Amino acid sequence: MDFTLGEELEAVRDLARQIFTDQASQARIKAAESSERGVDEGLWAELGAAGLLGIALPEEAGGAGLGAAGLAVLLEEQGRAVAPVPVWPAAVAAMTLAAHGSAAQQEILPPVLDGSARLTVALEEFGPSDPAAPRCAAVPDGDGWLLTGTKAVVPTPFGTSHVLVSASAPDGPGLFLVETSAAGAFWEATETTTHDKAGHLTLDGVAAQALGEGALAEALRLARVSVAALQVGVAEGALRMAADYLSGREQFGRPLATFQAAQHQLADCYIEIDALRVCLWHAVSLVAAGEDADTAVLVAKWWSDEGGLNVVHRVQHLHGGIGVDVDYPVHRHFLWGKQLAGTLGGASADLDLLGAAL
């Protein structure tokens, strides 16, 4: 199967790489990490102005219509730069709303395209659980619904207008649109391994609107592909830093990169990243074609958990003591790799789901 990017996706990749390279400097990342919302607002605005925040949305919703493939390209570039902007939760929410929201619900999308408004998703709960079977409860209330329960580690919720919440209704699990500041919604701020200013959300009879059938499955599919794409970029960025470091640092009169033990570690990283990419783009191609992609998506997510973590571990080891110095940038790739490997359940949880699917 040929996963070579076409002309449009290459243009997206080049534009995204230029913006992240120019804007996501170490000083900017450090400043964003210590800011109130943990977001580089200037970079977010730049991505919106360049049209990249709507790159995956369908044309009828005002986007560029590049779907999951466009989003994957953008996220790979973000991961390479470990740039603190909430692209994946905002894009997954917007794409799901565009595909399964009513006309009235989709009225919140236009300002999302230019970055002047943001959305997020609440798909995880505390304890081991399948995100497709949430414990949060939804009960009918007139034309709408009332949600009660707790959602864990909602990515970058502060500053958003709405959140898509997974919950179980009497007729099965679904996805619901909730105003972030709705009455009965209580937020507890928390910080993740990547310094994302996330939030735990407690819902006490919060008014919500249901999205159409299949919305939760679509959101989970897109979220897993997004996390896998981000992990490919994180792993590639880490390997690039290791290669540069080992080429410039000498031991016994020659660069560390010429030592066979270091070369083996780098080669293992390269092979794992190649496997990550193949699994990712197999899943993306099926999602983009509208074919059954659930198994391929789980394989891509599992491999990103397992292989991505292996790469950032090896890179950390290759840097020696400087790898754990928080003033040296490679530590962020380790933190991002670790966080992504546990998002929506880790490798073991994904294997459980794969086993059940097969």
Side-chain angles (χ1 to χ4, degrees):
M1 193 172 287
D2 183 6
F3 295 132
T4 306
L5 299 182
E7 192 175 323
E8 284 184 319
L9 293 178
E10 282 186 352
V12 172
R13 179 199 60 195
D14 294 345
L15 176 59
R17 185 170 296 183
Q18 180 184 343
I19 291 175
F20 285 123
T21 301
D22 291 347
Q23 306 266 335
S25 65
Q26 294 305 308
R28 289 268 297 265
I29 294 173
K30 197 170 183 178
E33 288 173 346
S34 59
S35 67
E36 182 182 355
R37 293 178 178 171
V39 174
D40 185 333
E41 300 288 358
L43 174 56
W44 183 256
E46 185 77 15
L47 293 172
L52 290 174
L53 297 179
I55 202 75
L57 286 175
E59 292 179 2
E60 53 270 27
L66 293 183
L71 179 59
V73 169
L74 174 61
L75 289 170
E76 277 193 40
E77 295 307 317
Q78 183 199 355
R80 193 190 308 273
V82 290
V85 281
V87 175
W88 84 259
V92 168
M95 291 172 73
T96 306
L97 200 55
H100 298 276
S102 65
Q105 291 168 348
Q106 292 184 20
E107 288 179 2
I108 65 175
L109 285 177
V112 172
L113 294 171
D114 63 12
S116 56
R118 280 196 290 115
L119 308 174
T120 189
V121 289
L123 301 173
E124 297 192 88
E125 298 183 349
F126 290 106
S129 63
D130 180 357
R135 294 187 293 270
C136 182
V139 296
D141 180 50
D143 294 336
W145 295 80
L146 295 177
L147 304 188
T148 300
T150 304
K151 310 302 289 188
V153 204
V154 179
T156 329
F158 305 108
T160 61
S161 61
H162 294 76
V163 53
L164 294 187
V165 180
S166 59
S168 291
D171 58 349
L175 200 60
F176 299 82
L177 180 65
V178 173
E179 288 187 26
T180 309
S181 58
F186 303 98
W187 291 93
E188 178 191 353
T190 187
E191 186 169 311
T192 69
T193 303
T194 59
H195 303 296
D196 177 38
K197 304 298 190 294
H200 304 316
L201 171 60
T202 299
L203 301 141
D204 184 10
V206 175
Q209 304 166 38
L211 270 68
E213 188 177 352
L216 177 56
E218 173 90 357
L220 288 173
R221 204 176 295 123
L222 290 172
R224 287 185 173 114
V225 166
S226 296
V227 169
L230 207 46
Q231 188 75 295
V232 169
V234 169
E236 277 198 332
L239 179 58
R240 181 70 265 162
M241 294 189 77
D244 290 344
Y245 174 75
L246 295 174
S247 298
R249 187 173 173 84
E250 293 189 354
Q251 193 73 281
F252 304 115
R254 59 192 178 106
L256 285 171
T258 62
F259 288 81
Q260 194 175 46
Q263 291 173 342
H264 285 172
Q265 297 266 29
L266 292 172
D268 284 343
C269 289
Y270 181 85
I271 292 167
E272 292 223 67
I273 292 171
D274 228 25
L276 291 176
R277 177 171 287 103
V278 170
C279 292
L280 167 68
W281 282 95
H282 180 223
V284 168
S285 66
L286 292 177
V287 170
E291 298 180 18
D292 181 4
D294 288 348
T295 300
V297 167
L298 282 171
V299 170
K301 175 63 170 52
W302 170 76
W303 196 246
S304 82
D305 298 340
E306 191 83 8
L309 199 52
N310 288 342
V311 170
V312 294
H313 262 296
R314 285 199 192 94
V315 166
Q316 196 82 359
H317 179 70
L318 286 166
H319 276 80
I322 200 172
V324 294
D325 184 346
V326 294
D327 287 325
Y328 192 75
V330 77
H331 80 280
R332 291 193 177 87
H333 290 80
F334 178 80
L335 297 180
W336 278 55
K338 184 79 175 171
Q339 176 76 33
L340 291 169
T343 300
L344 296 170
S348 297
D350 291 331
L351 276 184
D352 278 346
L353 295 175
L354 263 176
L358 296 174

PDB file of all heavy atoms in Angstrom, residues 236-250 255-257 266 315 319 328:
ATOM      1  N   GLU A 236       9.441  11.163  16.224  1.00  0.00           N
ATOM      2  CA  GLU A 236      10.367  11.660  15.191  1.00  0.00           C
ATOM      3  C   GLU A 236      11.181  12.844  15.704  1.00  0.00           C
ATOM      4  O   GLU A 236      12.384  12.942  15.452  1.00  0.00           O
ATOM      5  CB  GLU A 236       9.575  12.082  13.954  1.00  0.00           C
ATOM      6  CG  GLU A 236       9.233  10.936  13.050  1.00  0.00           C
ATOM      7  CD  GLU A 236       8.860  11.412  11.665  1.00  0.00           C
ATOM      8  OE1 GLU A 236       8.369  12.549  11.538  1.00  0.00           O
ATOM      9  OE2 GLU A 236       9.043  10.645  10.728  1.00  0.00           O
ATOM     10  N   GLY A 237      10.515  13.743  16.413  1.00  0.00           N
ATOM     11  CA  GLY A 237      11.234  14.901  16.963  1.00  0.00           C
ATOM     12  C   GLY A 237      12.292  14.460  17.957  1.00  0.00           C
ATOM     13  O   GLY A 237      13.408  15.007  17.987  1.00  0.00           O
ATOM     14  N   ALA A 238      11.956  13.454  18.775  1.00  0.00           N
ATOM     15  CA  ALA A 238      12.921  12.949  19.754  1.00  0.00           C
ATOM     16  C   ALA A 238      14.121  12.318  19.065  1.00  0.00           C
ATOM     17  O   ALA A 238      15.280  12.559  19.451  1.00  0.00           O
ATOM     18  CB  ALA A 238      12.231  11.927  20.662  1.00  0.00           C
ATOM     19  N   LEU A 239      13.857  11.513  18.031  1.00  0.00           N
ATOM     20  CA  LEU A 239      14.961  10.856  17.320  1.00  0.00           C
ATOM     21  C   LEU A 239      15.863  11.887  16.650  1.00  0.00           C
ATOM     22  O   LEU A 239      17.089  11.752  16.652  1.00  0.00           O
ATOM     23  CB  LEU A 239      14.400   9.881  16.283  1.00  0.00           C
ATOM     24  CG  LEU A 239      15.441   9.142  15.432  1.00  0.00           C
ATOM     25  CD1 LEU A 239      16.400   8.348  16.308  1.00  0.00           C
ATOM     26  CD2 LEU A 239      14.758   8.230  14.415  1.00  0.00           C
ATOM     27  N   ARG A 240      15.267  12.943  16.080  1.00  0.00           N
ATOM     28  CA  ARG A 240      16.063  13.998  15.443  1.00  0.00           C
ATOM     29  C   ARG A 240      17.013  14.649  16.459  1.00  0.00           C
ATOM     30  O   ARG A 240      18.188  14.902  16.174  1.00  0.00           O
ATOM     31  CB  ARG A 240      15.117  15.049  14.856  1.00  0.00           C
ATOM     32  CG  ARG A 240      15.766  16.213  14.145  1.00  0.00           C
ATOM     33  CD  ARG A 240      16.392  15.791  12.843  1.00  0.00           C
ATOM     34  NE  ARG A 240      17.806  15.497  12.995  1.00  0.00           N
ATOM     35  CZ  ARG A 240      18.526  14.807  12.137  1.00  0.00           C
ATOM     36  NH1 ARG A 240      18.005  14.324  11.043  1.00  0.00           N
ATOM     37  NH2 ARG A 240      19.789  14.572  12.336  1.00  0.00           N
ATOM     38  N   MET A 241      16.479  14.893  17.669  1.00  0.00           N
ATOM     39  CA  MET A 241      17.299  15.508  18.705  1.00  0.00           C
ATOM     40  C   MET A 241      18.432  14.574  19.140  1.00  0.00           C
ATOM     41  O   MET A 241      19.562  15.006  19.380  1.00  0.00           O
ATOM     42  CB  MET A 241      16.437  15.872  19.919  1.00  0.00           C
ATOM     43  CG  MET A 241      15.415  16.960  19.607  1.00  0.00           C
ATOM     44  SD  MET A 241      14.587  17.560  21.068  1.00  0.00           S
ATOM     45  CE  MET A 241      15.871  18.590  21.729  1.00  0.00           C
ATOM     46  N   ALA A 242      18.130  13.273  19.224  1.00  0.00           N
ATOM     47  CA  ALA A 242      19.168  12.315  19.617  1.00  0.00           C
ATOM     48  C   ALA A 242      20.270  12.252  18.565  1.00  0.00           C
ATOM     49  O   ALA A 242      21.462  12.217  18.898  1.00  0.00           O
ATOM     50  CB  ALA A 242      18.544  10.935  19.817  1.00  0.00           C
ATOM     51  N   ALA A 243      19.874  12.237  17.288  1.00  0.00           N
ATOM     52  CA  ALA A 243      20.871  12.171  16.216  1.00  0.00           C
ATOM     53  C   ALA A 243      21.764  13.405  16.230  1.00  0.00           C
ATOM     54  O   ALA A 243      22.990  13.317  16.071  1.00  0.00           O
ATOM     55  CB  ALA A 243      20.164  12.038  14.865  1.00  0.00           C
ATOM     56  N   ASP A 244      21.161  14.582  16.435  1.00  0.00           N
ATOM     57  CA  ASP A 244      21.946  15.818  16.482  1.00  0.00           C
ATOM     58  C   ASP A 244      22.901  15.819  17.674  1.00  0.00           C
ATOM     59  O   ASP A 244      24.072  16.201  17.565  1.00  0.00           O
ATOM     60  CB  ASP A 244      21.004  17.038  16.572  1.00  0.00           C
ATOM     61  CG  ASP A 244      20.247  17.264  15.284  1.00  0.00           C
ATOM     62  OD1 ASP A 244      20.643  16.693  14.249  1.00  0.00           O
ATOM     63  OD2 ASP A 244      19.240  18.005  15.311  1.00  0.00           O
ATOM     64  N   TYR A 245      22.383  15.372  18.816  1.00  0.00           N
ATOM     65  CA  TYR A 245      23.198  15.385  20.034  1.00  0.00           C
ATOM     66  C   TYR A 245      24.379  14.422  19.907  1.00  0.00           C
ATOM     67  O   TYR A 245      25.526  14.763  20.207  1.00  0.00           O
ATOM     68  CB  TYR A 245      22.326  14.989  21.230  1.00  0.00           C
ATOM     69  CG  TYR A 245      23.085  14.830  22.518  1.00  0.00           C
ATOM     70  CD1 TYR A 245      23.543  15.947  23.227  1.00  0.00           C
ATOM     71  CD2 TYR A 245      23.348  13.560  23.041  1.00  0.00           C
ATOM     72  CE1 TYR A 245      24.247  15.799  24.417  1.00  0.00           C
ATOM     73  CE2 TYR A 245      24.053  13.409  24.220  1.00  0.00           C
ATOM     74  CZ  TYR A 245      24.502  14.518  24.903  1.00  0.00           C
ATOM     75  OH  TYR A 245      25.203  14.366  26.073  1.00  0.00           O
ATOM     76  N   LEU A 246      24.115  13.220  19.424  1.00  0.00           N
ATOM     77  CA  LEU A 246      25.174  12.209  19.339  1.00  0.00           C
ATOM     78  C   LEU A 246      26.184  12.536  18.239  1.00  0.00           C
ATOM     79  O   LEU A 246      27.329  12.103  18.302  1.00  0.00           O
ATOM     80  CB  LEU A 246      24.557  10.833  19.086  1.00  0.00           C
ATOM     81  CG  LEU A 246      23.684  10.292  20.225  1.00  0.00           C
ATOM     82  CD1 LEU A 246      23.006   8.997  19.818  1.00  0.00           C
ATOM     83  CD2 LEU A 246      24.516  10.076  21.484  1.00  0.00           C
ATOM     84  N   SER A 247      25.752  13.311  17.239  1.00  0.00           N
ATOM     85  CA  SER A 247      26.681  13.705  16.169  1.00  0.00           C
ATOM     86  C   SER A 247      27.619  14.821  16.630  1.00  0.00           C
ATOM     87  O   SER A 247      28.742  14.951  16.120  1.00  0.00           O
ATOM     88  CB  SER A 247      25.911  14.191  14.935  1.00  0.00           C
ATOM     89  OG  SER A 247      25.107  13.156  14.428  1.00  0.00           O
ATOM     90  N   GLY A 248      27.164  15.601  17.597  1.00  0.00           N
ATOM     91  CA  GLY A 248      27.969  16.747  18.038  1.00  0.00           C
ATOM     92  C   GLY A 248      28.810  16.483  19.264  1.00  0.00           C
ATOM     93  O   GLY A 248      29.794  17.201  19.501  1.00  0.00           O
ATOM     94  N   ARG A 249      28.458  15.479  20.049  1.00  0.00           N
ATOM     95  CA  ARG A 249      29.197  15.216  21.280  1.00  0.00           C
ATOM     96  C   ARG A 249      30.237  14.122  21.043  1.00  0.00           C
ATOM     97  O   ARG A 249      29.916  13.074  20.456  1.00  0.00           O
ATOM     98  CB  ARG A 249      28.243  14.798  22.397  1.00  0.00           C
ATOM     99  CG  ARG A 249      28.919  14.683  23.748  1.00  0.00           C
ATOM    100  CD  ARG A 249      27.898  14.434  24.843  1.00  0.00           C
ATOM    101  NE  ARG A 249      28.520  14.164  26.114  1.00  0.00           N
ATOM    102  CZ  ARG A 249      28.944  15.088  26.957  1.00  0.00           C
ATOM    103  NH1 ARG A 249      28.779  16.371  26.648  1.00  0.00           N
ATOM    104  NH2 ARG A 249      29.507  14.760  28.105  1.00  0.00           N
ATOM    105  N   GLU A 250      31.473  14.361  21.501  1.00  0.00           N
ATOM    106  CA  GLU A 250      32.555  13.417  21.232  1.00  0.00           C
ATOM    107  C   GLU A 250      32.993  12.684  22.489  1.00  0.00           C
ATOM    108  O   GLU A 250      32.897  13.204  23.599  1.00  0.00           O
ATOM    109  CB  GLU A 250      33.755  14.149  20.612  1.00  0.00           C
ATOM    110  CG  GLU A 250      33.477  14.684  19.224  1.00  0.00           C
ATOM    111  CD  GLU A 250      34.749  15.197  18.554  1.00  0.00           C
ATOM    112  OE1 GLU A 250      35.797  15.235  19.238  1.00  0.00           O
ATOM    113  OE2 GLU A 250      34.682  15.524  17.360  1.00  0.00           O
ATOM    114  N   PRO A 255      32.768  11.323  17.423  1.00  0.00           N
ATOM    115  CA  PRO A 255      31.368  11.544  17.818  1.00  0.00           C
ATOM    116  C   PRO A 255      30.736  10.288  18.418  1.00  0.00           C
ATOM    117  O   PRO A 255      31.021   9.173  17.979  1.00  0.00           O
ATOM    118  CB  PRO A 255      30.679  11.931  16.498  1.00  0.00           C
ATOM    119  CG  PRO A 255      31.780  12.407  15.614  1.00  0.00           C
ATOM    120  CD  PRO A 255      32.997  11.612  15.998  1.00  0.00           C
ATOM    121  N   LEU A 256      29.870  10.484  19.399  1.00  0.00           N
ATOM    122  CA  LEU A 256      29.175   9.353  20.013  1.00  0.00           C
ATOM    123  C   LEU A 256      28.357   8.573  18.989  1.00  0.00           C
ATOM    124  O   LEU A 256      28.144   7.369  19.136  1.00  0.00           O
ATOM    125  CB  LEU A 256      28.245   9.855  21.129  1.00  0.00           C
ATOM    126  CG  LEU A 256      28.920  10.286  22.441  1.00  0.00           C
ATOM    127  CD1 LEU A 256      27.905  10.952  23.351  1.00  0.00           C
ATOM    128  CD2 LEU A 256      29.551   9.092  23.132  1.00  0.00           C
ATOM    129  N   ALA A 257      27.880   9.269  17.954  1.00  0.00           N
ATOM    130  CA  ALA A 257      27.048   8.610  16.949  1.00  0.00           C
ATOM    131  C   ALA A 257      27.798   7.549  16.164  1.00  0.00           C
ATOM    132  O   ALA A 257      27.185   6.728  15.471  1.00  0.00           O
ATOM    133  CB  ALA A 257      26.470   9.650  15.983  1.00  0.00           C
ATOM    134  N   LEU A 266      19.675   3.935  17.857  1.00  0.00           N
ATOM    135  CA  LEU A 266      19.056   4.828  16.876  1.00  0.00           C
ATOM    136  C   LEU A 266      18.317   4.034  15.793  1.00  0.00           C
ATOM    137  O   LEU A 266      17.219   4.411  15.366  1.00  0.00           O
ATOM    138  CB  LEU A 266      20.123   5.726  16.233  1.00  0.00           C
ATOM    139  CG  LEU A 266      20.774   6.765  17.150  1.00  0.00           C
ATOM    140  CD1 LEU A 266      21.932   7.448  16.435  1.00  0.00           C
ATOM    141  CD2 LEU A 266      19.761   7.807  17.600  1.00  0.00           C
ATOM    142  N   VAL A 315      15.657   7.468  23.547  1.00  0.00           N
ATOM    143  CA  VAL A 315      16.254   8.798  23.324  1.00  0.00           C
ATOM    144  C   VAL A 315      16.703   9.400  24.649  1.00  0.00           C
ATOM    145  O   VAL A 315      17.783  10.005  24.739  1.00  0.00           O
ATOM    146  CB  VAL A 315      15.239   9.714  22.606  1.00  0.00           C
ATOM    147  CG1 VAL A 315      15.688  11.170  22.677  1.00  0.00           C
ATOM    148  CG2 VAL A 315      15.072   9.276  21.163  1.00  0.00           C
ATOM    149  N   HIS A 319      20.714  10.361  25.694  1.00  0.00           N
ATOM    150  CA  HIS A 319      21.170  11.684  26.114  1.00  0.00           C
ATOM    151  C   HIS A 319      21.898  11.659  27.455  1.00  0.00           C
ATOM    152  O   HIS A 319      22.442  12.688  27.885  1.00  0.00           O
ATOM    153  CB  HIS A 319      19.979  12.651  26.207  1.00  0.00           C
ATOM    154  CG  HIS A 319      19.603  13.269  24.895  1.00  0.00           C
ATOM    155  ND1 HIS A 319      18.852  12.622  23.952  1.00  0.00           N
ATOM    156  CD2 HIS A 319      19.886  14.484  24.366  1.00  0.00           C
ATOM    157  CE1 HIS A 319      18.676  13.409  22.899  1.00  0.00           C
ATOM    158  NE2 HIS A 319      19.294  14.542  23.115  1.00  0.00           N
ATOM    159  N   TYR A 328      16.786  21.327  29.312  1.00  0.00           N
ATOM    160  CA  TYR A 328      17.158  20.808  27.998  1.00  0.00           C
ATOM    161  C   TYR A 328      15.884  20.277  27.324  1.00  0.00           C
ATOM    162  O   TYR A 328      15.101  19.560  27.950  1.00  0.00           O
ATOM    163  CB  TYR A 328      18.198  19.693  28.149  1.00  0.00           C
ATOM    164  CG  TYR A 328      18.851  19.295  26.850  1.00  0.00           C
ATOM    165  CD1 TYR A 328      19.821  20.104  26.258  1.00  0.00           C
ATOM    166  CD2 TYR A 328      18.484  18.117  26.195  1.00  0.00           C
ATOM    167  CE1 TYR A 328      20.409  19.755  25.054  1.00  0.00           C
ATOM    168  CE2 TYR A 328      19.058  17.758  24.994  1.00  0.00           C
ATOM    169  CZ  TYR A 328      20.027  18.586  24.418  1.00  0.00           C
ATOM    170  OH  TYR A 328      20.599  18.236  23.221  1.00  0.00           O
TER     171      TYR A 328
END
